[in-house]
């Protein structure tokens, strides 16, 4: 029976054939242990000299790391194995012999591994992270589809810059100037006026000269946008969504979390509601914690976010930031117009801001005024202003950074390991 490593549990004590690669190998004169991987998982194949034809044992002993093969054997239950199974190998058919695979079981430096990202992806650790990433994407579609959201695809090539003009990737669009999308939000707002509740999911680009564990040049963002939804209701949807993701990873990625050594008790605590503090309260908290020189109107950096997050065992919303710190489209608070109806969601354990969101300005005149104040070209935003001209309604939305969320839930220190081929400052290869 041809099957996969993930499915072997269905064939206990039966003979199966699996297409696989050699992840690692150990052998003595009488027995060889093949660490097999097939993309769906990892399993140990045991080849006993006395039980197989001579050529099979010889092949098992000489086979090199990352060689590909069809391996046939009997599935055995095995309590010591993380997956619960082992394969008693009976036959091996070599497909391709790999020579001098560069990533050996010894330790390698990060730059070396990054240069070999196309191969590094095959490791157990990267496999686990990619599985968790995929689960988060799948659970995102489930969450929003179950709540009546429509998936809306926003363009990558745009003429607008929702998150400020300093971090744009410029390109030519024939004779016009164009930019790579920083965010699908503005298009999602048009979508919300057509479909009520939408979410976009796609790559976004920031020409940011930041070299930190939280920054990528190209990252993927999930951006829900909701008509007739005000700030508070948006926060409720955000906390339910994030709690849903934490639960999905706990429910479906146990092997992967174990492989990564993730402390799952931390994830089990991630249940809605999440605490909310205003920017002003966050400032007081920071002063209590010894950040003496921070002033009202200053943005929070990583050390500030981490200090605030340490105060809570769940993600925390920081709401009502100074208007001067945030983009042009945010709705001023009703009680005072120097702060906006926005929130950043800060993940625990130092993983930083995973969501930025707000209620949007829905008054035509105010939005026009803000565009002008930010020196944004009105002609490029004509269509966006139109949304306030024809049946404008209160609406809110947010953007969740996929890689930071994967980093947090999987317990991965740096976002470079949470995307298949990271685009970083000074790295476009592979
Ligand atoms: O806070 P940001 O810039 O918000 C927006 O783009 C809004 N238009 C979203 C919206 O309301 N629809 O980015 C949102 C999230 C951040 O919280 C962070 O998780 C992630 O995107 N992010 C990055 N992730 C990796 N590398 C970067 N350089 C990132 N910049 C933002
Ligand atoms: Mg932000």
């Amino acid at each position: 029976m041809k099957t996969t490593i993930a499915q072997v549990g269905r064939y206990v004590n039966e003979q199966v054939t699996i297409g696989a690669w050699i992840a690692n190998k150990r052998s003595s004169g009488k027995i060889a242990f093949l660490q097999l991987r097939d993309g769906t998982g990892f399993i140990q194949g045991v080849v006993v000299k006395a039980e197989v034809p001579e050529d099979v044992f010889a092949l098992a002993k000489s086979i090199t790391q990352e060689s590909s093969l069809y391996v046939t054997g009997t599935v055995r239950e095995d309590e010591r194995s993380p997956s619960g199974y082992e394969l008693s190998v009976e036959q091996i058919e070599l497909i391709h012999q790999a020579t001098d695979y560069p990533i050996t079981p010894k330790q390698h430096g990060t730059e070396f591994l990054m240069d070999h990202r196309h191969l590094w992806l095959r490791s157990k650790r990267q496999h686990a992270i990619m599985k968790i990433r995929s689960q988060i994407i799948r659970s995102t579609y489930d969450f929003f589809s179950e709540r009546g959201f429509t998936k809306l695809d926003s363009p990558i090539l745009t003429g607008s810059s929702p998150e400020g003009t300093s971090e744009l990737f410029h390109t030519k669009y024939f004779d016009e100037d164009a930019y790579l999308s920083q965010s699908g939000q503005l298009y999602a707002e048009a979508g919300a006026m057509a479909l009520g509740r939408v979410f976009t999911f796609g790559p976004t680009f920031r020409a940011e000269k930041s070299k930190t564990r939280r920054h990528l040049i190209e990252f993927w963002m999930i951006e829900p946008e909701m008509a007739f939804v005000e700030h508070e209701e948006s926060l409720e949807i955000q906390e339910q969504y994030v709690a849903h993701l934490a639960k999905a990873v706990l429910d479906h990625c146990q092997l992967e979390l174990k492989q990564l050594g993730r402390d799952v008790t931390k994830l089990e605590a991630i249940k809605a509601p999440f605490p909310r503090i205003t920017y002003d309260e966050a400032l007081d908290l920071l002063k209590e914690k010894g950040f003496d020189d921070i002033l009202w109107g200053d943005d929070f950096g990583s050390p500030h976010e981490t200090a605030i997050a340490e105060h809570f065992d769940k993600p925390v919303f920081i709401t009502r930031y100074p208007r001067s710190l945030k983009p042009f489209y945010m709705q001023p608070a009703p009680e005072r117009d120097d702060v906006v109806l926005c929130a950043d969601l800060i993940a625990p354990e130092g993983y930083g801001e995973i969501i930025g969101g707000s209620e949007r300005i829905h008054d035509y005149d105010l939005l026009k005024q803000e565009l002008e104040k930010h020196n944004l070209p009105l002609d490029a935003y004509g269509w966006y202003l139109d949304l306030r001209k024809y049946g404008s309604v209160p609406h809110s939305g947010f953007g969740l950074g996929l890689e930071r969320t994967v980093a947090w839930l999987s317990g991965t220190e740096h976002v470079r390991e949470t995307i298949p081929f990271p685009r970083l400052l000074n790295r476009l290869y592979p």
Side-chain angles (χ1 to χ4, degrees):
M1 175 62 70
K2 191 172 172 205
T3 189
T4 61
I5 292 171
Q7 304 284 359
V8 291
R10 298 183 185 175
Y11 303 103
V12 175
N13 298 327
E14 290 176 44
Q15 195 188 59
V16 297
T17 297
I18 298 169
W21 292 269
I22 299 288
N24 199 357
K25 190 195 69 178
R26 209 153 43 83
S27 64
S28 69
K30 294 195 177 95
I31 193 161
F33 297 100
L34 308 178
Q35 303 305 325
L36 300 164
R37 61 169 198 91
D38 74 341
T40 74
F42 293 78
I43 195 170
Q44 173 161 274
V46 184
V47 195
V48 181
K49 188 176 184 195
E51 293 171 7
V52 295
E54 223 166 90
D55 59 325
V56 172
F57 191 72
L59 185 55
K61 278 208 73 162
S62 65
I63 202 162
T64 51
Q65 193 190 348
E66 286 307 314
S67 289
S68 50
L69 62 157
Y70 286 113
V71 53
T72 299
T74 302
V75 179
R76 308 276 182 218
E77 267 177 313
D78 183 83
E79 279 174 14
R80 290 154 306 168
S81 137
S83 69
Y85 305 98
E86 201 177 73
L87 196 67
S88 292
V89 176
E90 284 133 23
Q91 265 303 331
I92 298 173
E93 181 193 330
L94 184 66
I95 302 170
H96 178 252
Q97 171 100 33
T99 39
D100 301 331
Y101 185 69
I103 305 177
T104 57
K106 69 161 195 174
Q107 289 279 318
H108 294 282
T110 303
E111 282 308 300
F112 177 86
L113 291 169
M114 292 294 287
D115 283 341
H116 294 86
R117 182 66 178 165
H118 51 298
L119 304 176
W120 189 22
L121 281 174
R122 302 179 184 193
S123 76
K124 255 187 184 171
R125 175 179 163 79
Q126 300 307 316
H127 182 267
I129 298 170
M130 288 306 127
K131 286 285 184 187
I132 290 174
R133 178 184 170 103
S134 179
Q135 182 62 51
I136 290 171
I137 294 170
R138 183 175 174 167
S139 300
T140 292
Y141 278 84
D142 289 346
F143 181 86
F144 290 110
S145 304
E146 280 160 15
R147 284 162 184 77
F149 286 67
T150 302
K151 167 76 181 2
L152 189 95
D153 302 306
S154 56
I156 307 287
L157 288 167
T158 73
S160 56
S161 56
E163 304 303 313
T165 48
S166 59
E167 297 165 357
L168 284 171
F169 270 106
H170 178 248
T171 181
K172 278 314 248 192
Y173 190 73
F174 305 106
D175 294 335
E176 287 180 63
D177 286 313
Y179 310 102
L180 298 185
S181 175
Q182 287 177 311
S183 157
Q185 178 195 322
L186 307 190
Y187 297 96
E189 288 184 54
M193 299 308 136
L195 294 149
R197 292 182 177 212
V198 299
F199 69 104
T200 69
F201 173 50
T204 47
F205 306 85
R206 307 267 168 111
E208 229 175 316
K209 295 247 154 76
S210 305
K211 205 172 174 183
T212 79
R213 52 179 282 221
R214 300 167 179 181
H215 285 91
L216 291 161
I217 305 298
E218 177 179 307
F219 66 98
W220 287 64
M221 196 167 19
I222 291 122
E223 295 185 272
E225 194 68 37
M226 304 156 286
F228 307 104
V229 168
E230 294 177 25
H231 179 59
E232 270 306 318
E233 191 180 346
S234 175
L235 297 188
E236 286 163 20
I237 292 165
Q238 291 173 46
E239 63 199 0
Q240 284 160 19
Y241 170 42
V242 170
H244 175 86
L245 295 182
K247 182 169 187 305
V249 169
L250 280 169
D251 286 351
H252 301 291
C253 304
Q254 285 168 31
L255 263 180
E256 288 80 8
L257 292 170
K258 204 159 146 196
Q259 169 64 37
L260 295 167
R262 183 68 171 111
D263 178 355
V264 291
T265 60
K266 294 249 165 52
L267 299 186
E268 282 157 1
I270 311 304
K271 299 210 168 88
F274 298 161
R276 293 147 168 69
I277 58 170
T278 63
Y279 172 90
D280 288 15
E281 287 163 349
L283 212 59
D284 292 341
L285 186 63
L286 286 172
K287 291 208 169 114
E288 274 170 37
K289 288 179 180 279
F291 292 88
D292 295 323
D293 43 2
I294 188 157
L295 299 172
W296 196 92
D298 288 347
D299 209 353
F300 298 149
S302 300
H304 305 114
E305 285 177 359
T306 302
I308 295 165
E310 269 169 9
H311 207 73
F312 304 92
D313 56 4
K314 294 186 197 182
V316 52
F317 287 112
I318 305 178
T319 67
R320 287 173 154 76
Y321 277 75
R323 201 168 168 177
S324 54
L325 287 177
K326 292 292 181 185
F328 69 92
Y329 53 72
M330 292 189 181
Q331 176 72 32
E335 74 283 357
R336 52 186 268 214
D337 77 354
D338 61 341
V339 299
V340 282
L341 294 178
C342 72
D344 284 355
L345 184 66
I346 313 299
E349 303 173 70
Y351 288 95
E353 177 201 324
I354 52 169
I355 292 184
S358 72
E359 186 170 329
R360 323 306 192 185
I361 294 175
H362 65 278
D363 179 72
Y364 181 92
D365 293 326
L366 179 58
L367 183 62
K368 186 157 171 268
Q369 196 183 307
E370 289 298 313
L371 282 165
E372 283 164 349
K373 216 161 81 188
H374 285 82
N375 290 319
L376 291 163
L378 287 185
D379 50 345
Y381 290 86
W383 67 270
Y384 186 64
L385 277 163
D386 271 356
L387 306 176
R388 279 72 181 171
K389 218 162 150 184
Y390 307 109
S392 192
V393 298
H395 62 287
S396 303
F398 60 94
L400 173 128
L402 177 62
E403 290 75 17
R404 288 193 193 171
T405 306
V406 175
W408 165 46
L409 294 177
S410 66
T412 303
E413 171 78 8
H414 198 297
V415 288
R416 67 184 163 223
E417 288 184 68
T418 64
I419 183 165
F421 294 96
R423 297 297 173 237
L424 301 161
L425 211 59
N426 310 325
R427 180 167 291 283
L428 194 58
Y429 179 93

